[in-house]
Amino acid sequence: MAQNTENRLDASMQQEVSVDEDVLALRAPLVLVRRNDQGEWIFEGPGESPRPTVRTVLGAVVNAWPHVSALAELEPGSAAVWSWDNHGWTSEFECTCGECEQPVAADLDRRTWPGELDPEDLVSVEETALSGQEVLTNILYSSGRIALLGPGEQHRTSDQLASVAMANVIRRWPHTMRALCSVRSGYLLRWNAESLNWHEYEAV
């Protein structure tokens, strides 16, 4: 996987980390991030822990799953769970009142699916972004179809693109859900790695 030079996490991009095998193989969404007491990062999908993992470097994970960059304040010995309802990370915590609902790392649920999107709609995705070789930086709506692209010019040839169901795109990149709801024909949404949000531009 290529590495992104943008880093909001307080760690070297060369630091070794553990990644859930199913997440790395794109069979499950990245919805749980833990740091052990030594500060090591562990990235997981839904389901019971511990899970089979593969070793890689932090830069490769940040490059492939930009939504983890929002975890700059995750301390050693703590964990964060992706909330599909709130469209963001929520910290695990110890309940003292007995009434709190502990966040659970879960797969994309139809109950949280936005009504304005059809989960079966096909979206064009640049192959290198899908595999994590390039960072996903652009969402373009043109000629009646949405395309998710890496950096560079907006035009791609058909052999550079894969058709992926909308639901699987959002499972691959949870931080795209709201962007895909708001993208307009003739406009480009570009991911800002510093502010961790999508900015809209008129397509050229």
Side-chain angles (χ1 to χ4, degrees), residues 68-132:
V68 305
S69 294
L71 296 173
E73 297 181 8
L74 189 66
E75 299 289 337
S78 58
V81 174
W82 181 262
S83 169
W84 296 103
D85 281 321
N86 300 323
H87 192 74
W89 294 102
T90 182
S91 296
E92 288 188 332
F93 56 87
E94 185 175 340
C95 174
T96 56
C97 69
E99 297 180 5
C100 301
E101 187 174 337
Q102 186 69 239
V104 176
D107 207 336
L108 184 59
D109 192 313
R110 292 295 176 132
R111 290 172 295 180
T112 60
W113 186 262
E116 56 267 47
L117 296 178
D118 183 343
E120 305 301 327
D121 271 357
L122 292 178
V123 177
S124 296
V125 182
E126 188 167 5
E127 293 270 13
T128 52
L130 188 63
S131 66

Side-chain angles (χ1 to χ4, degrees), residues 50-63:
R51 299 165 61 83
T53 60
V54 175
R55 302 289 287 177
T56 185
V57 294
L58 184 60
V61 175
V62 172
N63 196 64

